[in-house]
Amino acid sequence: MEKFFLVLLVTLGVFVIAETRVIELDEKLNDEKLYKHGGTWLVMFYAPWCAYCQKMTPAWEEVGKNMKGSKVHVAKVDLNKYPDVGVHHNVEGMPTIKMFHDGEVYDYDGKRDHISILDFSRRVTSPPVRSISDLPVLKEVEKSHTVFFVLSYKAGRSSQLKARYTKAAGKLRLQGNFYEATAKAVQEKIGVNSTPSLVVLRDGQSTQYTSQNISQDAIMEWMAAERFALCPHIDDHGIYDYIDTKKPVVLGVIGRIRSTVEQKLADHVRFIAYDKNFESDFYFSTTDQVTLVRRMLLRAISNPALAVWDFQHKTYWLLPEDDFTVVTQKDVEHFLEGIKNGDIAPSGGDHFFRRFYRMFWLMGEMIGDVYSTSPWVVIGSAVVLTLSLVVCGVVLMSSDPEKDSVRRSAVAERDQLRRETPGNFYTDERMSGVTDPDDQLDENDFEPIDEVEDDDAKEAKKRGKFKQS
């Protein structure tokens, strides 16, 4: 019976290892041959004591199961055992996910669920530009992506635009979806009248690249700016996708469960975004991340609210309205017009005092968050801090600077007298008894003692080598 259970446990262990397919790596990951010539590796850097790493373990195991049989090796490295690996690969926090593919290293900075990680892996390992061969394929692409880019050109013809678009897509493969189309039916469907041409399709609307500058940098800059949906609902990860953009972001701040007023505000923002009157001046979005927006603005807000945030200058504009039941779409448009024309001054900034204020604001937010979950921790810390300040105050108050000064002067006078009369010794019995700073010490307080001799002096005297003065 025991042998049966032993065989069962071994079989289950082998089954689990085969299912997860997560490989434990060691310092060999420092060897560049591993990822330059050893296939594609998707690696998580972790530590057993890290709570975030423990929370992410089930998702990582799920990634290993889904990658079973593919060319991607799913692995993890324990930085507690191999800290040099983390230093070698510039790991600054845990867990950190990196993908090693075709001699390049790609950093993952998305949600910590297996679906998002698998999409990241697909983007890295797939060709940067995929083909739309016919209308059915185009429909599938439209269902899969809210925003995607399409280069239209005639089959069999090469162009500078095509070559540079392909290179730019390779650089931005993690930030967008890139396709090419040669079929005339597809080109007509997406609104292309001439070839070659580059368009972006967002929420069923197409915008064409019209600049005469077809350098790779210019194409990349345009695609990086146009990769966002017209009015997405963004979470705490999505909001940071705008961090390198040049246009301010309009944020319709609403709750997770939308009230009638919040839905009305979201509709106003969406209608203005689709109207495209402000397309060249703002990005538009809605979000339920009230706490995150509050920490960006460094001020208290409640939903619903309408804020405009400029990532470049860390400045913001806030629609000054307490009752959003009376806010109309015209009011929002007038507010945005004022920002666009410079009639409404921004708040915030990134100067020294603002940074100093941000530090204290975030510290207060952190204390508030801890108090909301563990109030006794905050109360206990406050009590300990108060007692420490009281003790320090009592110690400081008990010391008298005048008394300390008298004591220091007395000691200095005694030492000076000793140095000036090297042939005599003076008793310090009365000095040691000075506890009251009002005692006045003068030269009469010190009596010479000529008869005091140490053992060496007595011995020298016996030998006749000592002469008394």
Side-chain angles (χ1 to χ4, degrees), residues 197-216:
S197 63
L198 175 61
V199 298
V200 57
L201 285 92
R202 293 179 297 185
D203 302 306
Q205 299 186 19
S206 64
T207 303
Q208 189 168 344
Y209 180 71
T210 57
S211 175
Q212 299 298 317
N213 185 355
I214 59 171
S215 66
Q216 181 179 329

Side-chain angles (χ1 to χ4, degrees), residues 53-225:
C53 301
Q54 296 169 5
K55 187 177 180 180
M56 190 173 174
T57 298
W60 196 248
E61 297 292 336
E62 194 67 29
V63 171
K65 291 179 183 179
N66 282 270
M67 288 293 185
K68 182 182 178 182
S70 70
K71 295 181 179 180
V72 178
H73 306 292
V74 181
K76 57 183 179 180
V77 182
D78 185 353
L79 296 186
N80 211 33
K81 292 181 179 179
Y82 311 106
D84 292 342
V85 176
V87 174
H88 182 81
H89 292 285
N90 300 316
V91 176
E92 297 180 352
M94 293 178 288
T96 292
I97 297 175
K98 292 177 180 284
M99 193 162 196
F100 304 91
H101 176 68
D102 286 345
E104 298 286 341
V105 182
Y106 299 89
D107 294 314
Y108 178 72
D109 190 25
K111 296 180 181 179
R112 294 175 178 177
D113 60 88
H114 73 281
I115 296 176
S116 301
I117 298 171
L118 290 172
D119 181 64
F120 164 76
S121 175
R122 178 193 61 77
R123 287 176 180 272
V124 172
T125 56
S126 300
V129 180
R130 288 167 283 176
S131 177
I132 300 177
S133 57
D134 50 34
L135 289 177
V137 175
L138 176 62
K139 289 182 179 179
E140 289 299 321
V141 172
E142 289 176 332
K143 289 180 181 179
S144 303
H145 309 302
T146 306
V147 182
F148 60 97
F149 297 87
V150 181
L151 175 72
S152 299
Y153 65 96
K154 291 184 179 180
R157 292 189 181 182
S158 59
S159 67
Q160 289 184 343
L161 180 61
K162 179 179 183 298
R164 291 167 184 172
Y165 167 75
T166 303
K167 289 182 179 179
K171 296 285 186 181
L172 298 174
R173 65 169 74 206
L174 297 180
Q175 302 179 24
N177 304 285
F178 306 97
Y179 294 88
E180 60 183 17
T182 57
K184 189 173 182 179
V186 175
Q187 294 172 357
E188 291 176 353
K189 181 68 175 178
I190 62 178
V192 172
N193 298 321
S194 61
T195 56
S197 63
L198 175 61
V199 298
V200 57
L201 285 92
R202 293 179 297 185
D203 302 306
Q205 299 186 19
S206 64
T207 303
Q208 189 168 344
Y209 180 71
T210 57
S211 175
Q212 299 298 317
N213 185 355
I214 59 171
S215 66
Q216 181 179 329
D217 290 340
I219 294 172
M220 283 182 62
E221 184 178 355
W222 179 78
M223 292 195 300

Side-chain angles (χ1 to χ4, degrees), residues 268-285:
H268 291 337
V269 175
R270 186 175 297 105
F271 289 150
I272 295 172
Y274 277 76
D275 194 33
K276 290 193 172 183
N277 288 334
F278 297 95
E279 182 182 17
S280 60
D281 303 296
F282 302 99
Y283 294 109
F284 292 86
S285 66

Side-chain angles (χ1 to χ4, degrees), residues 277-278 281-282 317 333-346:
N277 288 334
F278 297 95
D281 303 296
F282 302 99
W317 298 261
E333 290 177 350
H334 180 72
F335 175 62
L336 296 179
E337 283 285 354
I339 298 173
K340 176 181 175 182
N341 299 330
D343 298 332
I344 304 177

